[in-house]
Amino acid sequence: MIERIVGARLGYEDSETLERFLATGGDLGLRKAVLEMRPEEVAAEVTTANLLGRGGAGFEAGRKWSMLRKAPRRYLVINGDESEPATFKDHLLVERDPHQLVEGATIAAYAIGASLVVIYLRGEFALGLERVQQAINEAYARNALGRSIFGSSFSVDIVLQPGAGAYICGEETSLIESLEGKRGFPRIKPPYFPAVIGLYGEPTIVNNVETVSNLPWIVQKGGAAFKALGQGRSTGTRLFALSGQVKRPGPYEVEMTKITFRDLIYGDDYGQGLLPDRSLIAFIPGGVSAPWFFEEHLDIPLGQDEVAQAGSMLGSGSVIVMDDTSCPVRSAWRIARFFARESCGQCTPCREGGAWIDKIMRRIEEGEGREADLDLLLDLCDNISPGIKWPPAQTTICVLGPSIPPSVSAAINHFRDDFLVHIKEGRCPHA
Amino acid sequence: MARFSDEMLSRAQELVSLYPDPRSATIPLCHLAQEQDGYVTNEAMEHIGELVGSSAAEVQGTASFYDMLKLEPVGRYVVGVCTNIACMLRGAYEVLEDAEEVLGVPVGGTTEDGLFTLEEVECIAHCDRAPAAQVNYRYFGPLDRESLQDLVATLRNGDLDHEVPPHGTLIRVRREAPPVVPMEEIDRERAEEGQ
């Protein structure tokens, strides 16, 4: 049986309504937390669960919380600025189960003693913004938010903040800058964590939507029950966002490490394989910043360390499938162009290097390339991220720049012949 | 081309009051201004500066960073066709070409009747319905030429206006919850608890 935690309600047509939420265990986690547990007990359960952040970096949520500097004012910010290409799992959670998000955020606020919670949602999620605000309104109306929640001594408010279209604001320090009314420029590190200096200079925890959506379940069933799912550092379940050239793209919640990429892409319960007469040429295991995987990686289980050991990352849990009708040159160019466009412009390697790579890739894609371009591209990649290894060496304030080389170098190294056809014959071998 | 109307001003003031620092309301207020005038006008930036305690230049510095905030007029329906990888793999560039043809404007253009602006956008997190597009931040997909033509025709008739509100993101987001408690009061509460 497939264990569902964050996606338990998604099978219902009316999953976003308060009625469905309350009929399916809604509020029980929050009630238990504020009425029966001390904040440090809630935090301890999360540490026991070994819940890794679901935003992309996969940092232990309990450890992040434990770094919070003591101060009278502390903030909790929920990162719902999901914009990495092919990542759409938070979009689903926000629109289809906004009450779970609000409950999870309130539990996290209780555990860390936050004075105010801000839910920062990607601005384009117009329907999600409506639904989350409604869930907040309804939570206040039944005293699941506001003063003395459920009669306990805990009080907290939630404010909803719309983003305005900037991928970089998913990086936690640039999200905080944006929330302070500024351009979303990532902050210079150290300090490495907003838990020390965050929003308005106060200690701040930034947690992803999916991360806090796990909390109601963890509080109810216990951290040990969560840890019993999966294995090693990969505990619990994750929502994998499967897209690209599979028969049935979609979000699939699976117990971590229990299925492989082959199962996810070809399994009857998941992607159901490629279209007839097509074959796999590559797939990306964790969002477009991750190094590409190939046929030989299909039997790797969906687990944090398993994917890392094979040289890539699980990242945001977005799996993108390319078949033999897709042009790897074009795919890599489209990924590079994304990062070039979304660079905030602070660091030269990212700003200039990204734009340069974008232009060269476009030139090759359009049949105007030169053979020397391939070495030039690899050299540029090496300048942005010396050694072109994973995890990347960084020459920039944040990891946006170093996210460019993996796709470009994977495409050049594995599909050199495709590049050469583009360059020498001015055509795409897949067209 | 104006400052906030009375109705918008009361929403704007409510938003400002939610934050420990009023400048945090800058982006939400830009969204509101865009919903009132179709884009963020110079007058609106001045007004926002007054409301959040910064200058018009600072507001512009922020607003110009973000793709959703328009500093020039756009059509009633902003059609954004996603061409990033998940959509690209499933034919997004064909959809974008079709959109140019169906609407009769190139990417970045606005139709003469002022109804449609066409944009090429980055991933809109609708990859399981690729190739996808958004109209005023409502999602549609998977699209092909036929469904795209139908969508444009339905929009033109106004038949989708219940689903696709005017170009804006906060327009239907209504806070009915009580105002949040000011930080100073929370500080006081905590100090008392501590004793």
Side-chain angles (χ1 to χ4, degrees), chain A residues 25-167:
Chain A
D27 280 348
L28 293 181
L30 178 61
R31 276 182 194 278
K32 184 172 174 190
V34 300
L35 298 175
E36 296 170 26
M37 297 167 82
R38 283 177 288 117
E40 52 276 23
E41 287 172 337
V42 176
E45 290 299 333
V46 173
T47 305
T48 303
N50 194 42
L51 173 64
L52 304 186
R54 302 306 200 220
F59 195 79
E60 296 94 327
R63 211 172 123 211
K64 200 181 214 182
W65 288 0
S66 73
M67 291 172 173
L68 198 63
R69 183 165 57 82
K70 286 209 186 326
R73 291 185 188 181
R74 300 165 154 201
Y75 298 102
L76 171 67
V77 176
I78 305 301
N79 185 346
D81 193 55
E82 178 178 75
S83 327
E84 175 120 345
T87 309
F88 53 93
K89 56 164 184 98
D90 292 349
H91 187 188
L92 192 84
L93 292 175
V94 161
E95 276 186 9
R96 301 284 307 282
D97 203 347
H99 292 280
Q100 176 176 259
L101 167 61
V102 170
E103 185 186 8
T106 313
I107 292 171
Y110 178 68
I112 65 171
S115 345
L116 180 71
V117 182
V118 181
I119 299 182
Y120 186 107
L121 284 193
R122 181 174 179 178
E124 287 95 335
F125 291 170
L127 184 61
L129 284 158
E130 268 178 47
R131 288 187 174 169
V132 171
Q133 185 60 60
Q134 194 182 338
I136 292 171
N137 294 345
E138 288 169 352
Y140 274 102
R142 64 175 193 283
N143 193 216
L145 257 182
R147 303 303 93 195
S148 306
I149 292 172
F150 296 141
S152 70
S153 61
F154 178 60
S155 303
V156 79
D157 290 304
I158 295 187
V159 170
L160 179 66
Q161 170 91 349
Y167 165 70

Side-chain angles (χ1 to χ4, degrees), chain A residues 73 91 113 122-123 126 130 137 140 157 161 163-165 178-179 181-184 200 244-246 334 337 341, chain B residues 19 24 31 61-62 64 66-68 83 89-90 93 120 122-123 125 138 169 172 174 176-177 181 187 190:
Chain A
R73 291 185 188 181
H91 187 188
R122 181 174 179 178
E130 268 178 47
N137 294 345
Y140 274 102
D157 290 304
Q161 170 91 349
S178 174
L179 191 44
K182 295 177 269 186
R183 299 187 144 220
Y200 313 129
Q245 281 151 335
V246 289
R334 200 56 192 81
R337 192 179 82 164
R341 276 188 173 183
Chain B
Y19 298 95
S24 285
H31 278 300
T62 295
S64 60
Y66 297 92
D67 284 345
M68 288 176 75
T83 58
L89 289 170
R90 301 190 75 111
Y93 278 95
E120 180 184 1
E122 296 296 346
C123 187
R138 257 49 188 194
T169 208
R172 294 210 300 213
R174 285 283 186 272
E176 291 156 13
V181 173
D187 291 347
R190 295 199 165 199

Side-chain angles (χ1 to χ4, degrees), chain B residues 10-53:
Chain B
S10 68
R11 281 197 78 187
Q13 284 164 335
E14 185 189 297
L15 284 169
V16 171
S17 74
L18 298 179
Y19 298 95
D21 180 338
R23 287 186 198 211
S24 285
T26 304
I27 290 172
L29 262 50
C30 288
H31 278 300
L32 275 192
Q34 181 155 296
E35 279 153 32
Q36 178 178 291
D37 301 323
Y39 69 107
V40 190
T41 65
N42 288 340
E43 289 86 344
M45 287 191 261
E46 265 174 44
H47 199 179
I48 291 167
E50 288 165 25
L51 290 167
V52 304

